[in-house]
């Protein structure tokens, strides 16, 4: 690694354009971007892991403190000497307003004051493994217009078990086909690594603050721009679950609406008709939330529940159409592709997957998962 650059500490907010390099500073290979808000209890472990990276290129650490009321800033400052010894340049800024301005704002500021050709996103409460920067940098060089993720170890062990299994086991193809599920981005934000040029083309992050899923909005915009999604198939991050995490401020309904809109934009706009797989609560909710054009494309619901099938059809009582829309309910074997699957992943003991395989359907062509 090159000799250490001067450690720079900025008390006021950086005034550089979102994502733009700071004038007068030479570029480094990778900027590790960390937004901080009341994270003092986790920062030592997080920053120790930064100094443990085995990457041999040049690195910098860029931190933005979003009005922390604990001693986060003091903890970070305490790492000055150790970062210098490792040849890691360091810039920190922040603000002391009465209220934090949100994760999107803090990430944009941290990126603005950085100068890396590549950006490694790190949450202050997580811990990167020593090979993270090296391996993700290698993949990013091959895929400069992609968001690169990795597998994770969830702590405490057993928390969000289904979600963690999904993060670590979906295939490279499913990183693209399963972008509509309630799990959100198929490579999770705390594992993201990308080129600065790609960030500038897609970003910046939404700065709406609390309750805004800035990661999902950015992820969808990256896909709209033609960006790829890839994953290093090794565990490179210890991903911490706790009740104070910013993600808990986003409501399920907010995520639902964004998912429905993206599904309509990317998939349903290309289909002349389709079947909703699940005549129950989730399938009916999806139907109700579709725009009128896509509601007319629904040729049937399908299910395995004989009680639902025997009803014969679903009537959309809130419909303004006269007569009201009546959608047939069929057994899945009698229904025809393409399908939007509104059955929860990994909750049927493999029955759903067996049923899909029995129809010889291909994910991403004949069906997409929505739940």
């Amino acid at each position: 690694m090159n000799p250490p650059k001067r450690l720079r500490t900025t008390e006021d907010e950086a005034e550089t354009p979102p994502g733009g390099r700071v004038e007068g500073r030479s570029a480094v290979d990778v900027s590790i971007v960390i937004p901080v808000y009341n994270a003092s209890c986790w920062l030592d472990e997080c920053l120790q892991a930064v100094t443990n990276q085995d990457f041999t290129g040049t690195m910098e650490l860029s931190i933005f403190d979003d009005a922390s009321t604990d001693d986060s800033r003091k903890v970070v400052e305490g790492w000055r000497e150790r970062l210098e010894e490792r040849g890691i340049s360091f810039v920190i800024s922040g603000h002391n307003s009465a209220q934090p301005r949100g994760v999107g704002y803090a990430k944009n500021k941290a990126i603005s004051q950085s100068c890396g050709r590549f950006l490694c996103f790190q949450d202050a409460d997580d811990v990167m493994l020593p090979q993270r920067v090296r391996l993700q940098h290698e993949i990013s060089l091959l895929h400069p217009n992609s968001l690169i993720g990795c597998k994770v170890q969830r702590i405490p062990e057993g928390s969000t078990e289904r979600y963690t299994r999904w993060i670590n086991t979906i295939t490279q193809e499913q990183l693209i086909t399963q972008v509509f599920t309630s799990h959100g981005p198929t490579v999770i934000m705390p594992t993201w690594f990308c080129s600065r040029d790609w960030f500038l083309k897609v970003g910046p992050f939404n700065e709406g603050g609390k309750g805004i899923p800035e990661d999902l909005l950015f992820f969808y915009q990256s896909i709209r721009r033609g960006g790829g999604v890839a994953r290093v198939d090794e565990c490179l991050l210890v991903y911490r679950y706790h009740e104070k995490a910013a993600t808990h401020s986003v409501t399920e309904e907010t995520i639902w609406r964004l998912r429905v809109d993206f599904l309509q934009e990317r998939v349903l706009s290309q289909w002349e008709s389709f079947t909703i797989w699940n005549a129950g609560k989730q399938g009916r909710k999806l139907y109700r939330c579709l725009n009128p054009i896509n509601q007319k494309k629904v040729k049937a619901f399908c299910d395995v529940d004989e009680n639902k099938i025997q009803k014969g059809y679903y009537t959309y009582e809130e419909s303004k159409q006269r007569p009201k829309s009546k959608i047939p309910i069929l057994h899945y074997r009698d229904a025809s592709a393409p399908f939007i699957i509104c059955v929860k992943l990994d909750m049927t003991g493999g029955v759903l997957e067996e049923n899909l395989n029995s129809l010889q359907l291909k994910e991403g062509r004949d069906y997409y998962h929505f739940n």
Side-chain angles (χ1 to χ4, degrees), residues 10-11 65 70-78 92-95:
T10 308
E11 291 302 324
D65 178 27
D70 65 1
D71 60 350
S72 289
R73 181 73 71 95
K74 181 180 178 182
V75 173
V76 171
E77 298 285 3
I92 178 173
S93 66
H95 68 96

Side-chain angles (χ1 to χ4, degrees), residues 40-60:
S40 62
C41 61
W42 297 301
L43 278 168
D44 281 330
E45 191 177 7
C46 175
L47 298 179
Q48 180 65 58
V50 171
T51 67
N52 289 343
Q53 292 302 295
D54 64 13
F55 180 60
T56 56
T58 52
M59 288 192 299
E60 75 168 355

Side-chain angles (χ1 to χ4, degrees), residues 1 32 45-57 59 86 88 120 122 127-138 150 153 193 234-238:
M1 184 173 288
I32 299 172
E45 191 177 7
C46 175
L47 298 179
Q48 180 65 58
V50 171
T51 67
N52 289 343
Q53 292 302 295
D54 64 13
F55 180 60
T56 56
M59 288 192 299
R86 281 285 288 117
I88 301 172
C120 176
Q122 173 74 22
V127 181
M128 59 171 64
L129 272 63
Q131 66 273 35
R132 181 186 174 189
V133 171
R134 173 173 56 84
L135 293 180
Q136 290 191 300
H137 181 256
E138 289 173 359
C150 64
Q153 175 193 345
F193 195 108
E234 291 187 32
C235 176
L236 302 180
L237 186 78
V238 178

Side-chain angles (χ1 to χ4, degrees), residues 62-224:
S62 180
I63 291 178
F64 187 86
D65 178 27
D66 191 21
S68 293
T69 56
D70 65 1
D71 60 350
S72 289
R73 181 73 71 95
K74 181 180 178 182
V75 173
V76 171
E77 298 285 3
W79 280 85
R80 175 192 300 261
E81 185 175 338
R82 281 166 285 188
L83 288 161
E84 287 180 331
E85 288 174 354
R86 281 285 288 117
I88 301 172
S89 57
F90 172 40
V91 56
I92 178 173
S93 66
H95 68 96
N96 297 311
S97 304
Q99 296 293 329
R101 298 181 186 176
V103 179
Y105 177 86
K107 280 189 283 208
N108 285 338
K109 286 296 184 182
I111 294 165
S112 294
Q113 69 193 13
S114 71
C115 60
R117 299 180 186 90
F118 290 86
L119 304 173
C120 176
F121 293 91
Q122 173 74 22
D123 284 355
D125 51 359
D126 296 332
V127 181
M128 59 171 64
L129 272 63
Q131 66 273 35
R132 181 186 174 189
V133 171
R134 173 173 56 84
L135 293 180
Q136 290 191 300
H137 181 256
E138 289 173 359
I139 298 297
S140 288
L141 288 172
L142 299 174
H143 304 281
N145 297 337
S146 294
L147 292 176
I148 311 299
C150 64
K151 294 184 177 182
V152 301
Q153 175 193 345
R154 192 63 147 156
I155 58 172
E157 186 176 351
S159 55
T160 65
E161 188 172 353
R162 289 179 56 241
Y163 178 48
T164 305
R165 183 163 54 246
W166 177 79
I167 292 170
N168 290 334
T169 60
I170 58 173
T171 66
Q172 292 289 337
E173 285 185 350
Q174 289 172 329
L175 294 177
I176 294 297
T177 61
Q178 294 197 7
V179 298
F180 309 105
T181 77
S182 58
H183 287 322
T186 49
V187 288
I188 62 170
M189 172 72 217
T191 72
W192 285 3
F193 195 108
C194 69
S195 68
R196 178 182 296 272
D197 287 343
W198 186 246
F199 175 83
L200 290 172
K201 185 172 183 179
V202 176
F205 289 106
N206 184 289
E207 296 185 358
K210 189 174 182 179
I212 300 297
E214 84 293 332
D215 56 343
L216 184 62
L217 291 170
F218 187 97
F219 182 73
Y220 283 170
Q221 185 63 10
S222 181
I223 293 172
R224 289 188 183 101

